[in-house]
Amino acid sequence: MTPVAERGAPSAPKVRPFRQRPYLPTVQEMQAFTLGRTTTTRDEIWLVEHPPVFTLGHASRPEHLHAPGDIPVVRTERGGQVTYHGPGQVVAYLLIDLRRRALTVRDFVSSIEDATIAVLGASGVEATRRAGAPGVYLAGRDGAAGAKIASLGIRISRGCSYHGVALNVAMDLEPFSRIDPCGYPGLAVTDLRSCVGDVDMADLAARFGRQLAASLESKR
């Protein structure tokens, strides 16, 4: 995926259609995109589903990975701890020029969480943040955070972001029991299907991409 230049103020991010992609080549494409972009390169959001893989953020500690078994383990340069990607999960990679949009990292993370909470709400699921733990969680009693349903990990290079957010839609959740998700022992993890029943993955991914783009535009 080669960056495409444009003139003038930044337009809405281009949302690439949801598709299945292996993890490592996708990361390499994000790195190349970010390295090759200019001040006029259009921002993009890539929507993908990966085969099973455990990924380790740059600060991950080995004790949080217990029993990977036959699932590959890949260390990446994103923030955050260990997580799992696999079938039934929509991963949105956000290749965004934060400087051009005058976004702080905190504002950027907030926009991603806002979009995730909004798309879950439209699916009938109340979700929330958890203080000190980026990501999105089911809203428990009195608004407290319950099981985690979306993980967030980003990398900023020269003011531009890559990596992004993984929303659990209709997964086999067993692999999460082999790790301390996001570095939290015993953290409960769930997916959208467990809350509302069968979900159309392609439709959910498309709505998620539009919501992420809209959330970024609302910060301008």
Side-chain angles (χ1 to χ4, degrees), residues 71-97:
I71 298 177
V73 178
V74 178
R75 183 170 289 278
T76 79
E77 72 279 71
R78 64 161 173 80
Q81 295 283 336
V82 61
T83 194
Y84 169 71
H85 297 311
Q89 184 183 65
V90 176
V91 185
Y93 291 123
L94 294 101
L95 295 104
I96 307 298
D97 187 333

Side-chain angles (χ1 to χ4, degrees), residues 142-197:
D142 302 321
K148 191 165 195 176
I149 196 167
S151 300
L152 195 153
I154 61 173
R155 173 77 174 181
I156 308 296
S157 175
R158 298 182 302 154
C160 297
S161 71
Y162 58 109
H163 292 280
V165 57
L167 175 59
N168 302 338
V169 180
M171 304 183 71
D172 174 6
L173 297 169
E174 184 277 332
F176 286 103
S177 69
R178 307 187 198 183
I179 62 176
D180 296 330
C182 304
Y184 290 91
L187 178 67
V189 176
T190 192
D191 64 359
L192 184 57
R193 180 175 59 188
S194 299
C195 302
V196 301

Side-chain angles (χ1 to χ4, degrees), residues 3-200:
V4 177
E6 62 175 358
R7 297 180 181 275
S11 60
K14 178 177 182 177
V15 180
R16 298 212 175 242
F18 181 60
R19 62 176 180 152
Q20 295 180 338
R21 287 283 294 150
Y23 182 74
L24 266 178
T26 304
V27 172
Q28 291 164 353
E29 288 179 9
M30 285 193 291
Q31 292 168 335
F33 182 101
T34 303
L35 183 62
R37 68 181 301 164
T38 71
T39 56
T40 57
T41 300
R42 185 176 179 181
D43 293 334
E44 296 193 5
I45 297 172
W46 299 355
L47 301 170
V48 303
E49 178 184 48
H50 292 306
V53 61
F54 291 115
T55 71
L56 307 176
H58 65 81
S60 290
R61 293 158 51 186
E63 60 265 33
H64 294 309
L65 179 66
H66 302 304
D70 59 354
I71 298 177
V73 178
V74 178
R75 183 170 289 278
T76 79
E77 72 279 71
R78 64 161 173 80
Q81 295 283 336
V82 61
T83 194
Y84 169 71
H85 297 311
Q89 184 183 65
V90 176
V91 185
Y93 291 123
L94 294 101
L95 295 104
I96 307 298
D97 187 333
L98 303 190
R99 291 181 299 190
R100 185 171 59 190
R101 292 178 178 272
L103 283 174
T104 66
V105 173
R106 178 174 292 184
D107 287 341
F108 180 53
V109 169
S110 177
S111 74
I112 297 171
E113 292 174 336
D114 286 346
T116 308
I117 291 168
V119 82
L120 287 168
S123 299
V125 174
E126 185 180 359
T128 188
R129 295 175 173 83
R130 177 176 172 178
V136 174
Y137 304 77
L138 297 187
R141 293 181 179 178
D142 302 321
K148 191 165 195 176
I149 196 167
S151 300
L152 195 153
I154 61 173
R155 173 77 174 181
I156 308 296
S157 175
R158 298 182 302 154
C160 297
S161 71
Y162 58 109
H163 292 280
V165 57
L167 175 59
N168 302 338
V169 180
M171 304 183 71
D172 174 6
L173 297 169
E174 184 277 332
F176 286 103
S177 69
R178 307 187 198 183
I179 62 176
D180 296 330
C182 304
Y184 290 91
L187 178 67
V189 176
T190 192
D191 64 359
L192 184 57
R193 180 175 59 188
S194 299
C195 302
V196 301
D198 290 339
V199 179
D200 184 319

